[in-house]
């Protein structure tokens, strides 16, 4: 039995022999189960050779081959020597979700959609039932949906999760004619009330991100800046532009360099998640302390803190990229002419506007020196401000010349003397320039602190401490702080 990576397991002859002997379904599933077990035992070795997206693609392709082999076996058993061409049998076996994206992790569910076309001459129900039972009996962790091709649009309208999964469909085996019918339905689904779909996905993301905030034991899949955020980018870009890869928008929606940095971060998360699954021997998406030593070794990092820091930095990068470019994609789509007059009335500088205490700008504006942006912040009233992702984009890609000029230090000092400096401090963190504007942060950016006390990395912990300073709840502490003069308050804020 061959287990060369990427090549089919050579069990065809053994299956043919069993079919010739009229073996039971159990015996055939047992053969598949043994082949799958042998392949899985080789995964750690495969991971050392191919990490990141390449590992996921190779694993996905191997599962494709297994499922294709199962489908062939079912057809051979049912038709015998009268086996027709597969394209003539009105069934398409389609991958969904991470499996459809060729990002299937080792212990993730294998999501299939079995699409058929009602044809009187074929007993499609029996074929599909036998395929599912063979997969389950062979030990595959299978999730599935069965749909008649003409019912796909209706099914997508019933549940946003179903529609989302269908967007990531990929043909594995079966009838190309049925697959073409499926593709026509998928195109119609994409154009079916896209605005409602996008709003629902963004609302869904807000709930998820609140549930899984950044922490020192991040969830690689669900946390802020996790793989789900990258998927949100794809879902929206596919809905609006029909692209099959986010890479197609590099050079138009975002720069080649911005996309490269995002892809490097995403590649690390692929590596970490695969290592986690292998280390835990199960579906494990949270990077908890228990698995950090083994994951660190598998990824080749020198120590756990460095590995965790790189993961936190990668999630920051993905979060930053997602926030900016999801907003950029959907803004024209949700354009309301009635807002233009109000925005012009509330213009605070050329191409900068205020709406409900939120600062906006246009994505057409080229980012300039950070000093100009700091001057804009200094011109604002001293109150709580919120910042649109378009404004975050300006700070993210602004030019920061080091060492900082005396003017820049003066502008920062003026902001620090305000009663409401936290929104600016948080903006600098989100834009990735906090350590450039306040140099002591260079030592603590994305730094985990495994001491049982910190819930957040040191950088976020420090920023949140400043937020607490501006919102002291204890009356005794508040009186002490308020009794300080201007210079003493500034010293406390610096500390």
């Amino acid at each position: 039995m061959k287990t060369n990576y990427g090549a089919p397991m050579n069990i065809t002859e053994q299956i043919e022999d069993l079919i010739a002997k009229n073996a039971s379904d159990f015996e055939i599933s047992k053969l598949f189960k043994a082949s799958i077990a042998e392949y899985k035992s080789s995964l750690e070795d495969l991971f050392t050779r191919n990490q990141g997206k390449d590992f996921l693609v190779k694993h996905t392709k191997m599962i494709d081959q297994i499922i294709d082999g199962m489908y062939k076996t079912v057809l051979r058993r049912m038709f015998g020597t009268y086996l027709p061409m597969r394209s003539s049998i009105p069934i398409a076996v389609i991958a969904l979700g991470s499996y459809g994206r060729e990002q299937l992790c080792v212990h993730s569910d294998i999501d299939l959609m079995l699409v058929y076309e009602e044809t009187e001459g074929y007993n499609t129900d029996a074929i599909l039932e036998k395929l599912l039972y063979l997969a389950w009996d062979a030990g595959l962790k299978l999730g599935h949906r069965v749909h008649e091709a003409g019912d796909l649009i209706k099914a997508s309208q019933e549940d946003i999760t179903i529609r989302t999964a269908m967007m990531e469909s990929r043909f594995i085996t079966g009838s190309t004619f049925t697959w073409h019918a499926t593709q026509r339905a998928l195109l119609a689904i994409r154009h079916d009330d896209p605005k409602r779909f996008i709003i629902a996905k963004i609302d869904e993301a807000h709930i998820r991100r609140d549930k899984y905030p950044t922490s020192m034991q991040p969830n690689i899949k669900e946390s802020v800046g996790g793989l789900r955020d990258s998927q949100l980018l794809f879902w929206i870009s596919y809905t609006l532009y029909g692209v099959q890869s986010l890479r197609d928008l590099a050079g138009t929606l975002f720069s080649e360099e911005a996309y490269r940095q995002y892809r490097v971060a995403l590649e690390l998360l692929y590596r970490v998640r695969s290592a986690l699954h292998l280390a835990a021997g199960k579906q494990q998406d949270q990077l908890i302390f228990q698995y950090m030593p083994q994951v660190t070794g598998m990824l080749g990092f020198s120590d756990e803190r460095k590995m965790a820091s790189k993961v936190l930095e990668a999630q920051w990068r993905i979060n930053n990229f997602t926030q900016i470019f999801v907003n950029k994609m959907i803004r024209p789509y949700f354009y309301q002419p009635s807002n233009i007059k109000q925005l012009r009335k509330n213009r605070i500088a050329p191409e900068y506007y205020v709406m409900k205490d939120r600062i906006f700008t246009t994505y057409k504006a080229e980012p300039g020196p950070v000093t100009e942006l700091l001057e804009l912040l200094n011109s604002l009233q001293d109150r709580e401000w919120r910042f649109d992702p378009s404004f975050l984009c300006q700070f993210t890609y602004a030019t920061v010349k080091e060492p900082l000029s005396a003017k820049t230090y003066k502008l920062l000092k003026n902001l620090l003397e305000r009663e409401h400096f936290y929104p600016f401090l948080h903006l600098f963190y989100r834009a990735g320039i906090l350590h450039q504007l306040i140099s002591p942060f260079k030592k603590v950016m994305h730094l985990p602190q495994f001491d049982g006390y910190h819930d957040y990395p040191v950088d976020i912990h420090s920023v949140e401490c400043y937020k607490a300073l501006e919102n002291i709840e204890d009356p005794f502490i508040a009186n002490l702080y308020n009794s300080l003069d201007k210079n003493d308050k500034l010293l406390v804020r610096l500390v």
Side-chain angles (χ1 to χ4, degrees):
M1 188 179 300
K2 293 195 295 185
T3 56
N4 293 332
Y5 307 123
M9 291 180 289
N10 189 21
I11 62 173
T12 304
E13 292 180 7
Q14 297 173 67
I15 290 172
E16 284 295 325
D17 185 54
L18 288 174
I19 292 174
K21 295 176 180 178
N22 199 28
S24 66
D25 291 343
F26 173 75
E27 289 177 278
I28 292 176
S29 67
K30 187 177 177 181
L31 178 59
F32 273 108
K33 192 170 187 176
S35 299
I36 293 168
E38 182 178 351
Y39 164 65
K40 286 185 175 180
S41 69
S42 71
L43 280 171
E44 287 197 28
D45 184 41
L46 175 61
F47 183 73
T48 61
R49 303 180 186 205
N50 304 272
Q51 296 192 5
K53 179 68 184 294
D54 188 46
F55 172 77
L56 298 176
V57 171
K58 288 183 182 298
H59 177 58
T60 299
K61 292 302 184 186
M62 182 57 77
I63 300 301
D64 283 356
Q65 292 166 15
I66 292 169
I67 290 173
D68 181 53
M70 289 178 171
Y71 186 61
K72 287 179 181 176
T73 300
V74 168
L75 297 183
R76 275 287 289 120
R77 292 273 284 179
M78 292 194 70
F79 288 97
T81 56
Y82 298 98
L83 180 65
M85 298 287 288
R86 259 187 295 174
S87 287
S88 300
I89 303 171
I91 292 174
V93 182
I94 298 164
L96 300 179
S98 62
Y99 185 29
R101 295 190 302 272
E102 296 187 329
Q103 297 172 11
L104 183 66
C105 211
V106 176
H107 292 288
S108 295
D109 289 351
I110 301 167
D111 291 327
L112 291 180
M113 181 166 69
L114 307 175
V115 180
Y116 67 95
E117 294 184 273
E118 200 64 66
T119 306
E120 193 172 341
Y122 287 102
N123 190 353
T124 52
D125 287 348
I127 296 172
L128 296 175
E129 183 178 291
K130 286 182 178 293
L131 174 62
L132 290 172
Y133 276 115
L134 177 56
W136 287 327
D137 290 342
L140 290 183
K141 191 179 176 184
L142 205 66
H144 75 283
R145 307 194 59 80
V146 179
H147 292 288
E148 204 277 326
D151 292 336
L152 288 171
I153 296 176
K154 181 180 178 182
S156 73
Q157 294 169 338
E158 293 173 353
D159 190 323
I160 189 174
T161 304
I162 298 173
R163 174 168 175 167
T164 305
M166 287 180 177
M167 291 172 63
E168 299 165 321
S169 299
R170 181 176 57 82
F171 181 65
I172 302 173
T173 189
S175 169
T176 53
F177 302 127
T178 304
W179 170 237
H180 292 327
T182 302
Q183 286 181 304
R184 289 192 294 272
L186 294 175
L187 182 61
I189 289 169
R190 178 192 155 214
H191 292 293
D192 180 33
D193 199 356
K195 185 174 183 178
R196 180 182 65 86
F197 174 76
I198 290 171
I199 291 173
K201 295 310 293 184
I202 291 175
D203 289 344
E204 182 183 81
H206 285 318
I207 295 170
R208 169 182 54 79
R209 288 160 63 86
D210 286 343
K211 185 177 180 180
Y212 297 98
T214 300
S215 74
M216 287 191 301
Q217 297 185 86
N219 188 302
I220 303 303
K221 182 178 179 181
E222 306 288 355
S223 283
V224 170
L227 295 174
R228 283 285 189 218
D229 278 345
S230 73
Q231 291 158 20
L232 178 66
L233 273 167
F234 169 75
W235 295 329
I236 293 178
S237 64
Y238 173 76
T239 300
L240 295 181
Y241 308 120
V243 297
Q244 295 298 324
S245 170
L246 203 63
R247 178 72 181 80
D248 297 337
L249 299 176
T252 53
L253 185 70
F254 37 74
S255 70
E256 294 280 357
E257 177 58 19
Y259 179 74
R260 185 194 68 80
Q261 294 176 357
Y262 161 78
R263 278 296 309 172
V264 169
L266 195 57
E267 185 72 9
L268 177 60
L269 295 196
Y270 289 145
R271 294 174 62 207
V272 172
R273 189 177 184 224
S274 295
L276 258 176
H277 278 221
L278 290 170
K282 62 181 180 180
Q283 184 168 340
Q284 174 65 43
D285 293 327
Q286 186 177 13
L287 184 59
I288 59 178
F289 299 142
Q290 175 184 348
Y291 300 114
M292 282 191 184
Q294 191 172 347
V295 171
T296 298
M298 292 175 73
L299 298 181
F301 285 97
S302 57
D303 61 72
E304 295 165 35
R305 177 168 292 187
K306 185 174 181 179
M307 184 273 295
S309 179
K310 288 294 184 182
V311 171
L312 292 167
E313 182 180 3
Q315 289 195 319
W316 170 86
R317 174 69 62 189
I318 292 169
N319 178 46
N320 172 275
F321 190 85
T322 301
Q323 291 296 292
I324 291 172
F325 294 109
V326 162
N327 182 267
K328 186 175 181 179
M329 281 191 287
I330 68 175
R331 177 181 282 186
Y333 196 71
F334 290 89
Y335 166 77
Q336 293 182 356
S338 59
N339 286 342
I340 297 299
K341 185 177 180 180
Q342 186 67 27
L343 283 172
R344 286 175 177 169
K345 180 180 178 181
N346 295 338
R347 192 175 75 167
I348 55 175
E351 297 188 292
Y352 290 93
Y353 310 89
V354 176
M355 182 75 78
K356 297 180 181 179
D357 292 331
R358 191 179 186 92
I359 310 297
F360 292 81
T361 188
T362 171
Y363 279 101
K364 295 179 181 178
E366 288 293 328
V370 75
T371 306
E372 293 180 5
L373 293 170
L374 293 176
E375 288 177 334
L376 179 62
L377 295 182
N378 271 272
S379 71
L380 300 173
Q381 293 180 8
D382 188 359
R383 67 186 190 198
E384 293 280 353
W385 289 100
R386 295 178 299 137
F387 305 105
D388 186 73
S390 57
F391 195 68
L392 172 63
C393 181
Q394 289 292 310
F395 273 87
T396 298
Y397 299 107
T399 304
V400 183
K401 293 184 178 179
E402 297 184 80
L404 300 180
S405 65
K407 180 180 180 181
T408 302
Y409 278 119
K410 175 62 176 175
L411 292 168
L412 287 170
K413 180 175 180 291
N414 291 342
L415 293 176
L416 188 61
E417 290 175 342
R418 288 174 168 234
E419 292 299 317
H420 301 93
F421 178 62
Y422 166 76
F424 304 139
L425 192 66
H426 190 233
L427 173 65
F428 301 156
Y429 165 77
R430 292 170 61 206
I433 61 173
L434 180 57
H435 61 291
Q436 294 175 284
L437 297 181
I438 306 176
S439 59
F441 272 98
K442 289 180 179 179
K443 295 183 179 181
V444 300
M445 291 305 295
H446 315 297
L447 178 65
Q449 189 78 320
F450 304 130
D451 57 5
Y453 170 67
H454 286 77
D455 290 326
Y456 302 111
V458 181
D459 51 359
I460 297 178
H461 186 97
S462 302
V463 172
E464 291 303 302
C465 280
Y466 196 93
K467 181 180 182 180
L469 178 64
E470 290 188 350
N471 298 274
I472 300 173
E473 296 179 358
D474 186 280
F476 176 71
I477 302 298
N479 287 333
L480 284 178
Y481 179 70
N482 291 330
S483 68
L484 300 176
D485 64 25
K486 180 180 178 181
N487 289 332
D488 286 340
K489 283 186 177 179
L490 182 60
L491 180 61
V492 171
R493 291 170 183 170
L494 284 170
V495 171

